[in-house]
Amino acid sequence: MLQEVIFAGFGGQGVLTIAKNVAYSAMLEGKETCWMPTYGPEMRGGTCGCTVSVSDKMISSPILAKYDVGVILNLPSMDKYEPKIKSGGLIIWESTTITDGPKRGDVKSIPIPAYDIAVELGSTLVMGMVLLGAFIQKTESITIDSVLEALRKTLPARRHNLIPLNETALRKGYEYASKI
Amino acid sequence: MGEIHLMKGNEALAEASIRAGLDAYFGYPITPQSEILEYFSRELPKKGIAFVQAESEVASINMVYGAAGCGKRVMTSTSSPGFSLMMEGVSYIACAELPCVLVNVQRGGPGLGTIQPSQGDYFQAVKGGGHGDYHMIVLAPNSVQEMADMPSIGFELAEKYRIPVLILADGALGQMMEKVEFKEYPKKNIEQNWATVGKPEKRDANVITSLFIESEVMEQVNIKLQKKYEQITEEVEDCELYHADDAEVFIVAYGISSRLAKKAVDLSREKGVRAGLIRPKILWPFPTKVIQKYATQAKGFISLEMSAGQMIEDVKLSLDGSVKSKHYGRMGGMIPAPEDILKEIESML
């Protein structure tokens, strides 16, 4: 089992954080995992991407040319990463702000209005968590329980009051994706 | 088993260095290793350990020279262009026989280059880099776990042989997060009667210098250094072998490329091609004896590097024409694909 995923969006949308949650959760589940940001001369408002590999064997390369799954949070990232998803792969994308979905016919498109759902929950900050919930529903590479444990371990105690909101966002995303 | 953390290679290296008994760190920021400096800037002052962000790499390495002369466990870290700036100081430290740990998280060169990972600094690391006849012991981690393991190993070797030890990593190892477990690292247990820590009445003053004006003296200093390097070449070797026992084609690879090589070996084995991997965890001294041992059963060797081909020279010197060998690699931050490495393996049969 090896799953190679790209998370991408604007800097500040939480791309690195949701990717880290996936890696941390996979680690808690005893899997091999590697988290690698696309670091470069990134500009404010530009794209920010992060690769996460999850496997039962040692990960050979943290830097990838093709991905099994893309979790896409903005239009520039859709343009950049749609061609890099493997044939038969999956694109989970934020459909409130991205107007054009994937154009390819050989990948599965999962539009999630994560922004709208996050607004309904009272905070746009949990948009990434909504998409993470959808990711978990579609890929089953980790569980919601592991993400919650990861949050308890990685968030400082003074931020633990935010965990219930994050859990709701995860479950909302999961629920929405289960209908697609 | 201790607690398992998810950390960047840079952070794991910094944390492990503190646990290994670091006394002082001097550095200057440069991508892709700035997290090392950032981690130290946050953690060292809390523990009363010296931290200085120097005004340049030239200053950092000379601060290391000074602190190492006092017998302290000291370190600096940088990335390729910064390491070039340090070369003069490294040569001085090697001549003055001071222990220290240096870190080069390589990025693509030459020049200011790119900030993406590369292995283009192999020559600089193992062949000197600075002026004069000197060596550093060069360690090559290939995972975040080994980024954490190497500082302690580095300090031990540096102190045992009074030599600068270089941890040669790359941007991928520095930036990626993997699981890591910190071990119990041995405390310093070596007498350093050469250190400049104040002169007691009953012995002569210790002098730390790399200046020996008289030719006769300078030659003797060189002879002594070369004897030490010979001894290290005899005593120090560390290789990981993968499917080596029955292999006909060997990949020699270190650092991040060794992981791609492992994948290519797996792909070969699935196709019935007997490929194997020799991964030097220590690049200088080079594991010549290991290469020679497996040369007797091999049809060919491939040196896989993210460079134009540098380690291939040491592979060829070790083989001494006995078996064919070639280089394969990508440059400028590009990563070789395991499928392409597989084609190279098949071309050696």
Side-chain angles (χ1 to χ4, degrees):
Chain A
M1 186 275 288
L2 169 65
Q3 198 156 55
E4 297 173 328
V5 189
I6 177 78
F7 295 87
F10 289 122
Q13 278 183 314
V15 167
L16 298 179
T17 309
I18 55 173
K20 188 180 169 186
N21 272 306
V22 173
Y24 205 99
S25 304
M27 183 183 84
L28 292 176
E29 291 178 16
K31 294 167 181 157
E32 293 293 327
T33 186
C34 186
W35 173 102
M36 177 81 192
T38 57
Y39 70 98
E42 311 289 14
M43 65 181 179
R44 198 165 297 180
T47 58
C48 162
C50 185
T51 305
V52 177
S53 308
V54 177
S55 177
D56 42 18
K57 284 200 246 170
M58 186 181 184
I59 312 279
S60 60
S61 174
I63 299 174
L64 305 165
K66 293 272 179 186
Y67 308 92
D68 299 307
V69 184
V71 179
I72 306 296
L73 281 72
N74 71 356
L75 187 59
S77 299
M78 181 69 86
D79 294 342
K80 187 171 174 186
Y81 290 108
E82 186 187 346
K84 295 185 178 180
I85 303 299
K86 290 177 196 166
S87 186
L90 194 63
I91 299 183
I92 298 165
W93 54 287
E94 201 297 298
S95 62
T96 312
T97 53
I98 306 177
T99 46
D100 296 329
K103 294 165 197 72
R104 285 169 58 184
D106 63 338
V107 293
K108 195 165 183 213
S109 165
I110 311 290
I112 307 285
Y115 187 85
D116 281 347
I117 292 172
V119 168
E120 272 172 39
L121 294 176
S123 170
T124 56
L125 294 176
V126 293
M127 185 177 94
M129 281 295 170
V130 175
L131 287 163
L132 184 52
F135 168 83
I136 292 169
Q137 202 278 330
K138 288 296 165 205
T139 64
E140 295 180 343
S141 65
I142 50 167
T143 65
I144 288 184
D145 285 347
S146 310
V147 177
L148 295 175
E149 198 187 335
L151 288 173
R152 280 191 290 273
K153 291 206 169 197
T154 55
L155 286 176
R158 65 192 163 85
R159 293 276 181 234
H160 279 200
N161 60 330
L162 299 173
I163 292 176
L165 175 62
N166 280 278
E167 181 176 356
T168 310
L170 280 167
R171 296 202 187 279
K172 284 274 178 194
Y174 190 96
E175 209 176 286
Y176 193 95
S178 65
K179 293 175 195 148
I180 301 175
Chain B
M1 214 160 107
E3 198 185 342
I4 296 180
H5 304 264
L6 182 73
M7 283 176 113
K8 281 192 170 196
N10 284 335
E11 294 166 340
L13 181 138
E15 174 61 30
S17 304
I18 299 171
R19 291 176 189 233
L22 182 75
D23 290 314
Y25 171 90
F26 313 97
Y28 186 79
I30 181 170
T31 306
Q33 68 78 49
S34 293
E35 290 87 356
I36 300 177
L37 176 120
E38 287 164 9
Y39 195 92
F40 282 142
S41 74
R42 194 173 63 235
E43 298 300 326
L44 294 189
K46 287 184 205 166
K47 299 176 197 304
I49 300 170
F51 168 88
V52 179
Q53 180 178 326
E55 68 270 34
S56 71
E57 288 86 348
V58 178
S60 308
I61 193 70
N62 282 292
M63 289 176 185
V64 167
Y65 185 15
C70 302
K72 297 294 182 187
R73 281 198 162 171
V74 287
M75 176 184 252
T76 184
S77 63
T78 185
S79 178
S80 305
F83 199 53
S84 293
L85 282 168
M86 291 184 181
M87 282 299 104
E88 180 197 40
V90 175
S91 173
Y92 281 37
I93 290 169
C95 185
E97 295 193 88
L98 297 178
C100 59
V101 171
L102 316 172
V103 182
N104 177 2
V105 182
Q106 297 172 89
R107 57 190 246 182
L112 207 44
T114 167
I115 57 179
Q116 300 304 322
S118 160
Q119 297 181 316
D121 302 352
Y122 178 88
F123 281 151
Q124 187 187 44
V126 307
K127 306 289 181 191
H131 58 282
D133 287 308
Y134 79 91
H135 282 289
M136 295 176 275
I137 294 177
V138 182
L139 310 180
N142 84 339
S143 62
V144 171
Q145 182 61 54
E146 287 189 358
M147 290 288 272
D149 296 342
M150 294 296 187
S152 172
I153 296 169
F155 281 125
E156 294 262 302
L157 287 168
E159 285 153 8
K160 181 173 178 189
Y161 296 109
R162 291 184 61 186
I163 189 170
V165 172
L166 172 66
I167 298 175
L168 189 67
D170 63 69
L173 289 169
Q175 291 299 319
M176 70 198 211
M177 277 198 210
E178 281 184 323
K179 59 184 179 185
V180 57
E181 185 188 353
F182 297 104
K183 299 168 184 159
E184 278 297 315
Y185 303 111
K187 294 275 166 275
K188 186 154 83 175
N189 182 26
I190 193 162
E191 201 193 342
Q192 295 181 311
N193 52 14
W194 47 265
T196 49
V197 288
K199 181 190 159 320
E201 264 179 47
K202 287 183 181 164
R203 72 157 162 78
D204 292 339
N206 285 337
V207 179
I208 304 287
T209 182
S210 73
L211 176 69
F212 303 96
I213 292 285
E214 302 288 338
S215 294
E216 291 81 359
V217 180
M218 188 73 242
E219 185 178 43
Q220 287 310 312
V221 169
N222 268 291
I223 288 169
K224 185 179 167 219
L225 282 177
Q226 292 305 316
K227 270 201 185 137
K228 177 168 82 175
Y229 298 147
E230 250 172 58
Q231 185 197 352
I232 295 172
T233 306
E234 282 299 312
E235 294 175 357
V236 176
E237 177 189 285
D238 196 0
C239 269
E240 182 196 347
L241 300 171
Y242 184 65
H243 284 307
D245 285 348
D246 66 341
E248 322 182 272
V249 178
F250 281 90
I251 305 180
V252 185
Y254 71 95
I256 198 75
S257 347
S258 66
R259 297 171 58 143
L260 305 163
K262 217 174 214 180
K263 178 79 184 255
V265 167
D266 287 342
L267 293 175
S268 315
R269 293 267 163 180
E270 280 167 24
K271 293 181 77 177
V273 176
R274 297 208 309 270
L277 168 68
I278 298 174
R279 169 170 83 95
K281 290 166 81 172
I282 297 182
L283 292 171
W284 194 91
F286 192 72
T288 297
K289 284 180 211 143
V290 179
I291 303 269
Q292 284 170 347
K293 179 185 164 197
Y294 288 101
T296 53
Q297 71 186 56
K299 288 185 176 159
F301 280 74
I302 298 167
S303 180
L304 176 74
E305 308 166 58
M306 281 149 56
S307 75
Q310 301 187 14
M311 186 172 66
I312 180 67
E313 293 195 3
D314 286 328
V315 173
K316 278 188 186 296
L317 281 171
S318 302
L319 293 171
D320 199 16
S322 61
V323 184
K324 69 180 171 185
S325 59
K326 71 170 173 187
H327 161 260
Y328 178 69
R330 300 287 300 269
M331 289 172 281
M334 300 301 291
I335 307 282
E339 293 74 18
D340 294 334
I341 305 166
L342 176 63
K343 279 183 211 146
E344 299 297 323
I345 292 172
E346 288 172 329
S347 79
M348 296 305 271
L349 288 169

